[in-house]
Amino acid sequence: MQEVAVLGIGQVPVGEHWDKRLVELAGEAIFAALEDAEVNKVEALYVGNMMAGQLDKQTHLGALISDWIGFRGIEAMTVEAACGSGALALRTALIAVSSGLVSSALAVGVEKMTDTSPQETTAALATAASADWEGVHGITFVGLNALIMRRYMHEYGWKHEDFAPFSINAHANGANNPNARFQSPISEEVYRKAVMVADPINLMDASPIGDGAAAAIVVPLDLVKGLAHKPIVRIAGSAVATDSLAVHDRHDPLWLSAAEKSAREVYRQANLGPDEVDIFEIHDAFSIMAALSLEACGFTDRGQGPRLALEGEITPTGRIPIATMGGLKARGHPVGATGMYQVVEAVQQLRGEAGKAQIDGVKVALTQNIGGSGATVISHILTAAGI
């Protein structure tokens, strides 16, 4: 297996793109990545998407998008892992290139969520849970995470306001990201006074939906070593792990087993540990998921995720900066695209191209994309050249 590097990246701002079709959003991100990579063709295209079949009444996105961008005839397909679909697209591209089957591949995550009614979108999101044991009862993802958060608070003695730093940090970082849906910081008072969605989750604990697309081009590392137009970013680790769809079927509903397993595997592949990670692009769909992810990935002890936030360790100057460009909470969560946004943002940080959101001295970045409430977790480690 040959080592793989990210040659080009592209993204569109997350928002309500009522004037653009799904294929147009994907095309914009792809053309930006091609321009960034200074290439005009790739051998394969992998599309991460969750809900186009339900919300856009359109499947077969690989062929559709490859034709739209003028690449008719290449290998192209759609991959799906619920909210983890974006990262799965990158992993599929990585496997294709590292195996030698293709010499270049493009991964794009895309989702269109705002053209349909909130009821339709919420129902489509719920299909990432267990239809037999969760969906049949009408529970939403906010409801599932509220149950987890309530139990977590009961077990470890945390209060709701102890989770405020997660949202405050995300919005502060999103204010420095021109592609974020929300670009204004919030205060602790705003967090406390936010309307309750599903107790104990309030509006500031939950990430917003949106339309968006992000893309990356991957090629063999040896191919880019002689290129000087961009800093080299290597994909040093890639792993997928799974757990049960239904939360009640897990051995421990307060532990993200798949997050732990996929993180442990990428650490092994990269020959690095959590203490060597400079930034963590976390899947903070809800505040409780941020706390659980930090614990599962080895950044703090079990039950101590909120303490990291309360002590300022997740901020840009902290021990493990998270959601450095807003995360799901402020950048937005167009579900099938989210994993690719995480990767694009990590590459920006590693290249030193994150603008006002830039963290000093970033050499190692961990991204983690979660499908469902923890049923599929895809982790990647990206490093600057020489690491």
Side-chain angles (χ1 to χ4, degrees):
M1 303 289 279
Q2 54 189 341
E3 292 188 287
V4 173
V6 177
L7 183 62
I9 54 173
Q11 61 184 311
V12 300
V14 178
E16 297 182 10
H17 295 284
W18 293 341
D19 60 333
K20 294 176 182 176
R21 296 179 295 143
L22 180 143
V23 71
E24 293 175 279
L25 291 174
E28 285 188 20
I30 289 169
F31 290 135
L34 291 166
E35 182 178 359
D36 183 55
E38 298 185 7
V39 298
N40 56 23
K41 199 69 183 269
V42 293
E43 291 185 16
L45 168 68
Y46 303 104
V47 182
N49 176 268
M50 176 185 170
M51 300 188 297
Q54 295 164 280
L55 300 185
D56 300 274
K57 306 299 185 287
Q58 179 68 66
T59 59
H60 214 169
L61 297 184
L64 177 69
I65 293 172
S66 61
D67 185 32
W68 175 260
I69 62 175
F71 290 179
R72 185 185 297 182
I74 68 168
E75 174 180 331
M77 65 186 74
T78 312
V79 295
E80 182 271 321
C83 318
S85 299
L88 183 59
L90 181 73
R91 178 167 167 81
T92 307
L94 167 72
I95 291 171
V97 172
S98 65
S99 68
L101 289 173
V102 301
S103 61
S104 61
L106 201 156
V108 62
V110 62
E111 204 75 72
K112 195 95 166 72
M113 303 176 71
T114 66
D115 286 359
T116 45
S117 70
Q119 292 85 354
E120 289 176 284
T121 304
T122 299
L125 285 167
T127 62
S130 169
D132 290 334
W133 297 107
E134 294 170 332
V136 70
H137 299 292
I139 195 166
T140 64
F141 265 105
V142 181
L144 281 172
N145 279 270
L147 290 170
I148 295 169
M149 187 172 180
R150 176 62 69 192
R151 187 65 191 181
Y152 184 92
M153 291 164 60
H154 171 77
E155 291 289 342
Y156 300 114
W158 296 108
K159 299 176 181 178
H160 179 253
E161 55 264 31
D162 294 329
F163 291 84
F166 289 114
S167 296
I168 293 169
N169 173 69
H171 279 270
N173 295 341
N176 295 320
N177 179 7
N179 291 301
R181 180 156 194 191
F182 297 137
Q183 299 179 29
S184 299
I186 65 168
S187 65
E188 186 173 349
E189 183 181 12
V190 169
Y191 177 87
R192 287 200 316 269
K193 292 183 176 180
V195 65
M196 193 61 67
V197 181
D199 194 4
I201 290 177
N202 71 16
L203 195 62
M204 291 298 108
D205 288 307
S207 59
I209 65 168
D211 307 329
I217 295 171
V218 298
V219 296
L221 179 62
D222 289 343
L223 183 67
V224 300
K225 284 183 176 178
L227 303 177
H229 71 283
K230 292 288 181 185
I232 297 173
V233 174
R234 180 172 68 105
I235 303 177
S238 174
V240 181
T242 57
D243 203 345
S244 68
L245 258 68
V247 173
H248 77 270
D249 269 344
R250 296 176 190 168
H251 295 297
D252 186 345
L254 298 184
W255 186 254
L256 294 178
S257 174
E260 177 191 23
K261 290 175 182 176
S262 66
R264 187 190 304 131
E265 176 58 18
V266 292
Y267 291 149
R268 185 196 67 78
Q269 292 175 16
N271 195 27
L272 297 167
D275 291 342
E276 296 167 277
V277 174
D278 296 314
I279 62 168
F280 180 18
E281 292 307 332
I282 199 167
H283 192 96
D284 55 335
F286 301 95
S287 299
I288 183 61
M289 281 293 121
L292 293 176
S293 296
L294 285 165
E295 295 168 19
C297 294
F299 296 110
T300 189
D301 293 334
R302 183 186 178 119
Q304 297 304 305
R307 190 175 306 283
L308 269 186
L310 288 165
E311 294 177 353
E313 298 286 19
I314 64 169
T315 66
T317 57
R319 175 163 63 90
I320 179 62
I322 69 170
T324 66
M325 302 188 76
L328 283 65
K329 179 63 192 76
R331 179 236 299 126
H333 184 25
V335 290
T338 289
M340 284 307 305
Y341 275 103
Q342 292 176 322
V343 169
V344 167
E345 291 161 359
V347 172
Q348 288 179 299
Q349 291 284 1
L350 289 161
R351 287 179 175 180
E353 297 175 352
K356 293 180 180 180
Q358 184 65 50
I359 308 293
D360 292 336
V362 176
K363 299 295 182 184
V364 178
L366 171 65
T367 70
Q368 190 169 81
N369 194 195
I370 298 178
S373 55
T376 302
V377 182
I378 305 167
S379 300
H380 287 95
I381 285 183
L382 297 92
T383 66
I387 302 299

